[in-house]
Amino acid sequence: MGGYCKLKMVGLEIVAVVVGLVLVKSSNGVSVSCMTAYDEGGAPAAFRSEECFQWLLSAPNQTTDCQFSQLQGLRKYQEDRISCHLHFNIPILGKKEVTVGIIGVFDGHGGKEASEMASNCLSDYFYLHSVFKMYKLMLQYKGQLTVAEGESLHLEVLKQALLSSIHDIDTKFTQEAVDNNFFSGSTATIVVMFNGLILVANVGDSKALLFSEKIQSSQGPQAFLSATELTKDHHPDRDDERARIEAAGGSVITWGVPRVNGILAMSRSIGDVYLKRYGVIAVPELTGWRPLAADDKYLMVASDGIFESLTANDVRDLILEWDSHDEGSSVSLAEFIVRSAYEKGSTDNLSAIVIPLR
């Protein structure tokens, strides 16, 4: 399970091939069967194909350049998983490469299998989809694009790569769940960062928040920090979510909190295959591309264990408190938030990724 998506990285000379024609110049010429496998089965099929194996690149799923913290809390198991890579290069129209960041929090339930597969596969699937989709556009337009058209297509490719990655993770896990009798599921809250813009995709009830410095002028200029939630929780009692569940033959029953068929406390998730027939889906809601402003200070993606005991404004206050500490503090902001949530009464697994934007 854990290593499914981690294929061996081939030599750097292949990168130049991917930048140029992607599939041309494998040892056997153009790999038509590899492209066919991708077209028919997406990233899982490409990673499974012997034709693709000899040149497939595996995007590093590292966290060394990310500030994050995790705590098991009072649960028997740690089912949260994260994926974070702020600097990996993707070949793109009109340019040799561009730098893209992608971060994700996956809050598992009923076992770690779904969240673990999601975290292991995210960067690889996203990279592969970006490369293949870009390659097809390169063939279609043959470089005949204005700068504005190129930028618009870059954003669309990255958006579609993200959507395809989430879809393929859920599809792959569904097959694993059927084969192995897994009952687990997972949230997926993912942020793509590119060229001063962010795109947020959300499945379930983990959250992404943006903290920004604002100026309040009612009593003279005074700076304060605002908290903006970039995601909406997928709870079964949300009107649109309830409508889909009931249309599929499911029901929303309150057992402590509203639950699908009295079981699942969210209406969208990766996995939970036994509830898919009752309207539970893995389709994310997207924010659309959002420009980061000069006053945006921190981006945070976190599991709902943080928000069991803290509100968005509580997190904002913790950031202000942490910022006021001496710079020599050995506790990161992410760790400070996670430990504060635990100390204030959270009983869940806790995970947070915090990205300073300055």
Side-chain angles (χ1 to χ4, degrees), residues 32-50:
V32 176
S33 58
C34 180
M35 178 60 80
T36 300
Y38 172 77
D39 286 340
E40 292 178 351
F47 274 83
R48 202 165 51 239
S49 168
E50 292 184 2

PDB file of all heavy atoms in Angstrom, residues 32-50:
ATOM      1  N   VAL A  32       3.445   4.465 -28.102  1.00  0.00           N
ATOM      2  CA  VAL A  32       2.025   4.662 -28.346  1.00  0.00           C
ATOM      3  C   VAL A  32       1.192   3.917 -27.316  1.00  0.00           C
ATOM      4  O   VAL A  32       0.168   4.400 -26.831  1.00  0.00           O
ATOM      5  CB  VAL A  32       1.654   4.192 -29.770  1.00  0.00           C
ATOM      6  CG1 VAL A  32       0.148   4.309 -29.988  1.00  0.00           C
ATOM      7  CG2 VAL A  32       2.413   4.995 -30.806  1.00  0.00           C
ATOM      8  N   SER A  33       1.639   2.724 -26.939  1.00  0.00           N
ATOM      9  CA  SER A  33       0.866   1.919 -25.991  1.00  0.00           C
ATOM     10  C   SER A  33       0.837   2.568 -24.611  1.00  0.00           C
ATOM     11  O   SER A  33      -0.132   2.405 -23.862  1.00  0.00           O
ATOM     12  CB  SER A  33       1.421   0.504 -25.901  1.00  0.00           C
ATOM     13  OG  SER A  33       2.775   0.518 -25.511  1.00  0.00           O
ATOM     14  N   CYS A  34       1.891   3.311 -24.276  1.00  0.00           N
ATOM     15  CA  CYS A  34       1.896   4.014 -22.992  1.00  0.00           C
ATOM     16  C   CYS A  34       0.845   5.119 -23.001  1.00  0.00           C
ATOM     17  O   CYS A  34       0.079   5.268 -22.047  1.00  0.00           O
ATOM     18  CB  CYS A  34       3.277   4.592 -22.697  1.00  0.00           C
ATOM     19  SG  CYS A  34       3.364   5.487 -21.131  1.00  0.00           S
ATOM     20  N   MET A  35       0.793   5.892 -24.090  1.00  0.00           N
ATOM     21  CA  MET A  35      -0.221   6.934 -24.184  1.00  0.00           C
ATOM     22  C   MET A  35      -1.615   6.329 -24.197  1.00  0.00           C
ATOM     23  O   MET A  35      -2.555   6.871 -23.604  1.00  0.00           O
ATOM     24  CB  MET A  35       0.004   7.778 -25.441  1.00  0.00           C
ATOM     25  CG  MET A  35      -1.041   8.869 -25.653  1.00  0.00           C
ATOM     26  SD  MET A  35      -1.115  10.068 -24.299  1.00  0.00           S
ATOM     27  CE  MET A  35       0.281  11.118 -24.723  1.00  0.00           C
ATOM     28  N   THR A  36      -1.760   5.181 -24.851  1.00  0.00           N
ATOM     29  CA  THR A  36      -3.055   4.504 -24.878  1.00  0.00           C
ATOM     30  C   THR A  36      -3.460   4.072 -23.478  1.00  0.00           C
ATOM     31  O   THR A  36      -4.615   4.223 -23.066  1.00  0.00           O
ATOM     32  CB  THR A  36      -3.003   3.289 -25.817  1.00  0.00           C
ATOM     33  OG1 THR A  36      -2.675   3.715 -27.127  1.00  0.00           O
ATOM     34  CG2 THR A  36      -4.344   2.562 -25.832  1.00  0.00           C
ATOM     35  N   ALA A  37      -2.499   3.532 -22.737  1.00  0.00           N
ATOM     36  CA  ALA A  37      -2.788   3.118 -21.351  1.00  0.00           C
ATOM     37  C   ALA A  37      -3.235   4.305 -20.527  1.00  0.00           C
ATOM     38  O   ALA A  37      -4.195   4.223 -19.749  1.00  0.00           O
ATOM     39  CB  ALA A  37      -1.553   2.476 -20.726  1.00  0.00           C
ATOM     40  N   TYR A  38      -2.559   5.432 -20.695  1.00  0.00           N
ATOM     41  CA  TYR A  38      -2.929   6.645 -19.958  1.00  0.00           C
ATOM     42  C   TYR A  38      -4.330   7.113 -20.350  1.00  0.00           C
ATOM     43  O   TYR A  38      -5.154   7.443 -19.490  1.00  0.00           O
ATOM     44  CB  TYR A  38      -1.916   7.754 -20.207  1.00  0.00           C
ATOM     45  CG  TYR A  38      -2.325   9.088 -19.646  1.00  0.00           C
ATOM     46  CD1 TYR A  38      -2.219   9.367 -18.282  1.00  0.00           C
ATOM     47  CD2 TYR A  38      -2.859  10.080 -20.475  1.00  0.00           C
ATOM     48  CE1 TYR A  38      -2.627  10.588 -17.757  1.00  0.00           C
ATOM     49  CE2 TYR A  38      -3.251  11.304 -19.962  1.00  0.00           C
ATOM     50  CZ  TYR A  38      -3.131  11.557 -18.610  1.00  0.00           C
ATOM     51  OH  TYR A  38      -3.532  12.764 -18.098  1.00  0.00           O
ATOM     52  N   ASP A  39      -4.607   7.159 -21.645  1.00  0.00           N
ATOM     53  CA  ASP A  39      -5.920   7.627 -22.107  1.00  0.00           C
ATOM     54  C   ASP A  39      -7.044   6.740 -21.586  1.00  0.00           C
ATOM     55  O   ASP A  39      -8.139   7.214 -21.286  1.00  0.00           O
ATOM     56  CB  ASP A  39      -5.964   7.665 -23.640  1.00  0.00           C
ATOM     57  CG  ASP A  39      -5.174   8.831 -24.214  1.00  0.00           C
ATOM     58  OD1 ASP A  39      -4.925   9.803 -23.462  1.00  0.00           O
ATOM     59  OD2 ASP A  39      -4.799   8.772 -25.397  1.00  0.00           O
ATOM     60  N   GLU A  40      -6.771   5.449 -21.471  1.00  0.00           N
ATOM     61  CA  GLU A  40      -7.823   4.521 -21.062  1.00  0.00           C
ATOM     62  C   GLU A  40      -7.974   4.402 -19.544  1.00  0.00           C
ATOM     63  O   GLU A  40      -9.072   4.188 -19.045  1.00  0.00           O
ATOM     64  CB  GLU A  40      -7.537   3.134 -21.653  1.00  0.00           C
ATOM     65  CG  GLU A  40      -7.666   3.082 -23.182  1.00  0.00           C
ATOM     66  CD  GLU A  40      -7.345   1.719 -23.747  1.00  0.00           C
ATOM     67  OE1 GLU A  40      -6.854   0.860 -22.977  1.00  0.00           O
ATOM     68  OE2 GLU A  40      -7.568   1.511 -24.963  1.00  0.00           O
ATOM     69  N   GLY A  41      -6.873   4.556 -18.822  1.00  0.00           N
ATOM     70  CA  GLY A  41      -6.948   4.307 -17.377  1.00  0.00           C
ATOM     71  C   GLY A  41      -6.280   5.328 -16.500  1.00  0.00           C
ATOM     72  O   GLY A  41      -6.128   5.086 -15.288  1.00  0.00           O
ATOM     73  N   GLY A  42      -5.870   6.473 -17.067  1.00  0.00           N
ATOM     74  CA  GLY A  42      -5.296   7.537 -16.259  1.00  0.00           C
ATOM     75  C   GLY A  42      -3.953   7.173 -15.645  1.00  0.00           C
ATOM     76  O   GLY A  42      -3.237   6.282 -16.115  1.00  0.00           O
ATOM     77  N   ALA A  43      -3.622   7.865 -14.565  1.00  0.00           N
ATOM     78  CA  ALA A  43      -2.321   7.670 -13.919  1.00  0.00           C
ATOM     79  C   ALA A  43      -2.106   6.244 -13.413  1.00  0.00           C
ATOM     80  O   ALA A  43      -1.012   5.696 -13.584  1.00  0.00           O
ATOM     81  CB  ALA A  43      -2.156   8.677 -12.782  1.00  0.00           C
ATOM     82  N   PRO A  44      -3.102   5.595 -12.773  1.00  0.00           N
ATOM     83  CA  PRO A  44      -2.850   4.219 -12.307  1.00  0.00           C
ATOM     84  C   PRO A  44      -2.447   3.280 -13.433  1.00  0.00           C
ATOM     85  O   PRO A  44      -1.548   2.452 -13.262  1.00  0.00           O
ATOM     86  CB  PRO A  44      -4.193   3.812 -11.688  1.00  0.00           C
ATOM     87  CG  PRO A  44      -4.825   5.098 -11.278  1.00  0.00           C
ATOM     88  CD  PRO A  44      -4.426   6.074 -12.347  1.00  0.00           C
ATOM     89  N   ALA A  45      -3.090   3.430 -14.603  1.00  0.00           N
ATOM     90  CA  ALA A  45      -2.769   2.556 -15.727  1.00  0.00           C
ATOM     91  C   ALA A  45      -1.370   2.850 -16.257  1.00  0.00           C
ATOM     92  O   ALA A  45      -0.629   1.932 -16.634  1.00  0.00           O
ATOM     93  CB  ALA A  45      -3.807   2.730 -16.837  1.00  0.00           C
ATOM     94  N   ALA A  46      -0.989   4.122 -16.295  1.00  0.00           N
ATOM     95  CA  ALA A  46       0.355   4.478 -16.765  1.00  0.00           C
ATOM     96  C   ALA A  46       1.420   3.924 -15.832  1.00  0.00           C
ATOM     97  O   ALA A  46       2.436   3.375 -16.277  1.00  0.00           O
ATOM     98  CB  ALA A  46       0.480   5.999 -16.880  1.00  0.00           C
ATOM     99  N   PHE A  47       1.203   4.030 -14.533  1.00  0.00           N
ATOM    100  CA  PHE A  47       2.172   3.505 -13.578  1.00  0.00           C
ATOM    101  C   PHE A  47       2.227   1.977 -13.600  1.00  0.00           C
ATOM    102  O   PHE A  47       3.236   1.388 -13.233  1.00  0.00           O
ATOM    103  CB  PHE A  47       1.839   3.989 -12.167  1.00  0.00           C
ATOM    104  CG  PHE A  47       2.433   5.331 -11.847  1.00  0.00           C
ATOM    105  CD1 PHE A  47       1.805   6.493 -12.246  1.00  0.00           C
ATOM    106  CD2 PHE A  47       3.630   5.425 -11.161  1.00  0.00           C
ATOM    107  CE1 PHE A  47       2.351   7.728 -11.960  1.00  0.00           C
ATOM    108  CE2 PHE A  47       4.188   6.655 -10.877  1.00  0.00           C
ATOM    109  CZ  PHE A  47       3.552   7.814 -11.279  1.00  0.00           C
ATOM    110  N   ARG A  48       1.167   1.359 -14.034  1.00  0.00           N
ATOM    111  CA  ARG A  48       1.096  -0.109 -14.084  1.00  0.00           C
ATOM    112  C   ARG A  48       1.677  -0.648 -15.389  1.00  0.00           C
ATOM    113  O   ARG A  48       2.065  -1.818 -15.471  1.00  0.00           O
ATOM    114  CB  ARG A  48      -0.360  -0.527 -13.938  1.00  0.00           C
ATOM    115  CG  ARG A  48      -0.606  -1.926 -13.471  1.00  0.00           C
ATOM    116  CD  ARG A  48      -2.044  -2.115 -13.025  1.00  0.00           C
ATOM    117  NE  ARG A  48      -3.015  -1.659 -14.004  1.00  0.00           N
ATOM    118  CZ  ARG A  48      -3.930  -0.711 -13.766  1.00  0.00           C
ATOM    119  NH1 ARG A  48      -3.987  -0.129 -12.589  1.00  0.00           N
ATOM    120  NH2 ARG A  48      -4.778  -0.340 -14.697  1.00  0.00           N
ATOM    121  N   SER A  49       1.739   0.180 -16.422  1.00  0.00           N
ATOM    122  CA  SER A  49       2.118  -0.266 -17.753  1.00  0.00           C
ATOM    123  C   SER A  49       3.619  -0.518 -17.866  1.00  0.00           C
ATOM    124  O   SER A  49       4.433   0.318 -17.476  1.00  0.00           O
ATOM    125  CB  SER A  49       1.703   0.793 -18.793  1.00  0.00           C
ATOM    126  OG  SER A  49       2.296   0.529 -20.043  1.00  0.00           O
ATOM    127  N   GLU A  50       3.995  -1.657 -18.438  1.00  0.00           N
ATOM    128  CA  GLU A  50       5.412  -1.947 -18.677  1.00  0.00           C
ATOM    129  C   GLU A  50       5.984  -1.002 -19.721  1.00  0.00           C
ATOM    130  O   GLU A  50       7.167  -0.663 -19.682  1.00  0.00           O
ATOM    131  CB  GLU A  50       5.580  -3.400 -19.131  1.00  0.00           C
ATOM    132  CG  GLU A  50       5.266  -4.423 -18.046  1.00  0.00           C
ATOM    133  CD  GLU A  50       5.540  -5.840 -18.497  1.00  0.00           C
ATOM    134  OE1 GLU A  50       6.004  -6.009 -19.656  1.00  0.00           O
ATOM    135  OE2 GLU A  50       5.291  -6.775 -17.712  1.00  0.00           O
TER     136      GLU A  50
END
